[in-house]
Amino acid sequence: MTDLHYLPATEALQAFRTRELSPVELVTAVIDRAETVEPVINAFAETFFDQALEQARAAAARYAGQGGPPRPLEGLPVAVKEEAEIAGQHNTLGSLPLRDNVAEQTSAFVQRIIDAGGIVHARTTTPEFSCAPVTWSRLWGVTRNPWHTEYSPGGSSGGSAAALAAGTAALATGSDIGGSIRIPASFCGVVGFKPPYGRVPEVEIFNLDHYCHEGPLARTVADCALLENVIAGPHPSDVVSIRPKLEIPGELAPVAGMRIAFSADLGCYQVDVDVATNARAAADRLRYAGAIVEDVELPWDLEGIKRAADIHFGMIFGPSMKEIHAKHAEELTSYTRRLIAVADQVSKDDYWPASSWRGRSTPRSASCSSSSTRSSARPSRSRRCPLSTTQASP
């Protein structure tokens, strides 16, 4: 089987069930691919390859009828964004001063991946505190776009999207407030889904933020739905998680006759011509499939949206809230300065943590050159990452 590391997760599960493929073979192919391309792409903050192979062997035993029945994600290598907590693993949030921080608990949605048989073989890079639309930090350096290594994979879930595009994970997780799943998915040509509020359990206090959601990334829509159905559902740790659990069906009804409203700019945003053209092309595909697509005008304005955002973030709740902001502003500024001072005291060599705790076999100084990959030729399948510094055709 060629390009095994790019095999869709749903197809891999089917091959596992029929015993045409072993989880050990898939995990080995993904690890081999990671060891080849990671010096260039830098999508992983930490790896657990030996542990992953042990878990793959246990998954293979389940498919052979030993150790219990296979679970929904049994044997699939899943890369988890380092922002999420996994007990006993580093949880640095991409911040240099927090480089030794270790999580004491596991996030509910990640525990569901583990309980479903997913193999967390790697943690993916993020910008510091996941607060940028690119993926770069003093702790981990630059994460590159597999389609064009001089470009960014986006952010803040850039490591997850880059790993999928490079073939170093079957599935991946991300988080999204202002586009942190959607931007990297777009930049890297993969599928990203920001679930509706409350669909996937979130950690406190972020579960009270209507904009902050955990979600899946994958290379196909079916794979994305597979992971979403595992991580979604109510959880006692999150009071706003939706009850009952809602699942994306495996087969969707035809869109013929469905009425769909279309707006290219939501009534108030400046949208790039290419983006608007592509969106309208998608609407035309729906029309071709029998849907009734109607252009609509929305009576929104940017000032109204800004006011709503100010209300959401507590900026105009009257004098009392303003006084609270003023009271803590100096304290917050002082804390930020202390963080910067700590970071500046760290030597330059410490910007790249030792490979011992990151599980890397390749020095961080590896250059982005053709010698770092197995072959300079593009893979045969059209959606395969070329890992080159020239623009790839989709």
Side-chain angles (χ1 to χ4, degrees):
M1 187 177 295
T2 61
D3 286 348
L4 185 56
H5 49 273
Y6 278 120
L7 185 68
T10 49
E11 293 183 21
L13 289 176
Q14 181 61 33
F16 292 162
R17 296 186 190 103
T18 60
R19 307 290 299 281
E20 297 176 24
L21 177 69
S22 166
V24 177
E25 293 177 281
L26 178 61
V27 171
T28 298
V30 166
I31 291 174
D32 288 347
R33 176 68 170 175
E35 290 177 341
T36 300
V37 304
E38 262 300 284
V40 178
I41 302 304
N42 187 34
F44 290 161
E46 193 167 9
T47 60
F48 310 95
F49 291 163
D50 291 341
Q51 175 182 311
L53 287 170
E54 291 179 9
Q55 294 173 349
R57 286 188 282 270
R62 281 179 175 263
Y63 285 107
Q66 306 167 13
R71 296 163 291 181
L73 300 180
E74 196 70 62
L76 294 175
V78 183
V80 175
K81 186 177 181 179
E82 202 266 0
E83 179 189 42
E85 292 183 299
I86 298 181
Q89 295 184 11
H90 284 88
N91 185 223
T92 69
L93 306 178
S95 179
L96 189 60
L98 300 180
R99 61 180 179 170
D100 295 321
N101 189 53
V102 176
E104 297 180 354
Q105 61 185 5
T106 301
S107 299
F109 80 98
V110 180
Q111 188 62 56
R112 287 176 172 170
I113 292 172
I114 297 171
D115 292 343
I119 298 173
V120 181
H121 68 301
R123 306 300 301 277
T124 60
T125 55
T126 72
E128 190 169 19
F129 301 120
S130 295
C131 289
V134 295
T135 300
W136 173 90
S137 71
R138 295 174 70 185
L139 180 61
W140 296 322
V142 176
T143 298
R144 300 180 181 276
N145 192 314
W147 291 95
H148 192 309
T149 54
E150 293 183 356
Y151 290 176
S152 171
S156 64
S157 306
S160 289
L164 289 166
T168 59
L171 299 168
T173 72
S175 58
D176 192 316
I177 294 179
S180 284
I181 288 175
R182 294 161 291 168
I183 292 170
S186 172
F187 280 25
C188 293
V190 299
V191 180
F193 177 55
K194 180 181 181 180
Y197 179 58
R199 189 68 57 84
V200 177
E202 179 63 277
V203 298
E204 73 288 340
I205 58 174
F206 297 103
N207 62 325
L208 302 180
D209 185 341
H210 291 203
Y211 294 110
C212 185
H213 309 161
E214 304 288 347
L217 292 101
R219 282 188 292 269
T220 72
V221 172
D223 287 359
C224 199
L226 169 70
L227 184 54
E228 168 64 12
N229 286 341
V230 167
I231 64 178
H235 192 274
S237 68
D238 185 355
V239 297
V240 302
S241 52
I242 293 176
R243 297 163 174 78
K245 176 178 179 177
L246 302 177
E247 291 195 8
I248 300 173
E251 295 185 7
L252 300 176
V255 299
M258 184 182 297
R259 295 190 62 192
I260 300 174
F262 175 79
S263 172
D265 60 2
L266 298 182
C268 60
Y269 289 103
Q270 292 184 351
V271 179
D272 186 89
V273 174
D274 287 345
V275 173
T277 300
N278 288 336
R280 190 163 294 280
D284 290 340
R285 290 288 296 274
L286 292 171
R287 286 192 181 95
Y288 181 78
I292 303 170
V293 182
E294 300 178 6
D295 284 21
V296 297
E297 295 183 4
L298 300 175
W300 297 348
D301 61 87
L302 289 178
E303 283 302 315
I305 293 175
K306 182 179 182 299
R307 181 175 176 81
D310 286 344
I311 293 173
H312 174 78
F313 289 110
M315 300 301 291
I316 55 174
F317 275 131
S320 59
M321 182 59 71
K322 291 180 181 179
E323 290 171 3
I324 292 173
H325 278 272
K327 179 180 177 181
H328 294 291
E330 184 176 348
E331 179 183 348
L332 180 60
T333 301
S334 176
Y335 174 72
T336 303
R337 286 172 178 166
R338 290 200 301 274
L339 278 179
I340 294 173
V342 170
D344 287 342
Q345 290 174 3
V346 180
S347 68
K348 184 176 181 180
D349 290 341
D350 287 336
Y351 288 177
W352 316 116
S355 59
S356 58
W357 74 265
R358 294 194 52 174
R360 288 184 176 273
S361 60
T362 306
R364 298 292 305 177
S365 60
S367 62
C368 189
S369 64
S370 59
S371 62
S372 59
T373 61
R374 291 178 178 175
S375 172
S376 60
R378 288 187 59 180
S380 57
R381 296 174 67 175
S382 61
R383 292 297 296 171
R384 298 301 175 257
C385 146
L387 288 173
S388 71
T389 55
T390 58
Q391 183 64 46
S393 59

